[in-house]
Structures are given as structure tokens and as C-alpha cells.
Amino acid sequence: YDSTANAPDGSCVLPVPGCTQQAAQNYDSGANVDDGSCAFPGCTTDGCEGFDPTATVDDGSCVCPVLGCTDPAADNYDSTADADDGSCIRSGCTNPNAQNFDSFATANDGSCVPDVVGCSIIGATNYNPSVTR
């Protein structure tokens, strides 16, 4: 700006707002003032495959894990899950002293059969028909 000028000489540069970053999706070659509108496409969801911390516009390229139970033997198996979240529940007998103890069970379903120790010889004075071993 020249305060002593009395006629335009074509040297004035008026501000043209827009995206001035060439790498941006919406770069404006005519802009001379960056207005913060630059768009950088990419995956904007942290924790997903392909996450780009510099992206400002989600382009649908994110591949996000589906959390759930991935154990097909579990009561709450989720066939759509591709990442196990530790939520699997397997019902069964959780009593290690029961004859049908299930070491894989995480929830007791009331099915435990007690292991009864004693005499299983018919005719013995201390015979017990409930003996399991």
C-alpha cells in the first residue's frame, strides 16, 4: 500500500481466500490466503487399519475390526467378529471336583454332577449306589 499513490498502477494484490496447500484435494491455485478449508482425504478413525492422522475428510478407506466373541464353541459366538474382545461365555460345569468338570467353561450352568467316592461293590455292607468312582 502506498498512501502517496493517486492512480492505480496494477500492483495491488487483493486477498483471495481458499486452500493454498497443493497436496489438498481442494487446492485452489487462485487463492493467496489460506482460509483453513483444505481437505485431505483418508481414514480418520483411530484404531482402524489405514488410519491417517493427517486426514481431515473420511474417504471410506478405513478397515475397522469388528469386536466380539470369536470362539465358535461359546454361547455368545459372533460370526461377524474378526477380533476377540474377551467376552466369550462357555456354559458348563465349573466345579473341578465334579465328575463332569469342563475346564473350558467360564459360566456355571448348574449341570455339575458330584463325584461320589465310596464302595461300589454290590452286597458289601457299605455299598453306595451313588458312587461314581
Side-chain angles (χ1 to χ4, degrees):
Y1 173 75
D2 183 352
S3 62
T4 62
N6 57 17
D9 66 359
S11 66
C12 293
V13 178
L14 296 175
V16 178
C19 175
T20 61
Q21 297 181 44
Q22 291 182 354
Q25 181 181 33
N26 60 332
Y27 169 68
D28 181 353
S29 61
N32 59 18
V33 176
D34 196 318
D35 63 2
S37 68
C38 294
F40 297 94
C43 173
T44 60
T45 306
D46 193 5
C48 292
E49 186 178 321
F51 172 65
D52 180 356
T54 65
T56 59
V57 177
D58 196 281
D59 65 0
S61 65
C62 296
V63 178
C64 301
V66 177
L67 300 176
C69 175
T70 60
D71 180 356
D75 301 340
N76 61 332
Y77 170 64
D78 182 352
S79 62
T80 65
D82 58 15
D84 199 285
D85 63 0
S87 68
C88 295
I89 297 170
R90 286 186 64 170
S91 296
C93 177
T94 59
N95 182 346
N97 297 318
Q99 71 180 40
N100 63 331
F101 170 65
D102 181 353
S103 62
F104 296 106
T106 59
N108 196 329
D109 64 1
S111 69
C112 295
V113 176
D115 195 12
V116 179
V117 179
C119 178
S120 61
I121 300 173
I122 298 173
T125 58
N126 61 341
Y127 169 70
N128 183 346
S130 301
V131 169
T132 56
R133 66 177 177 118

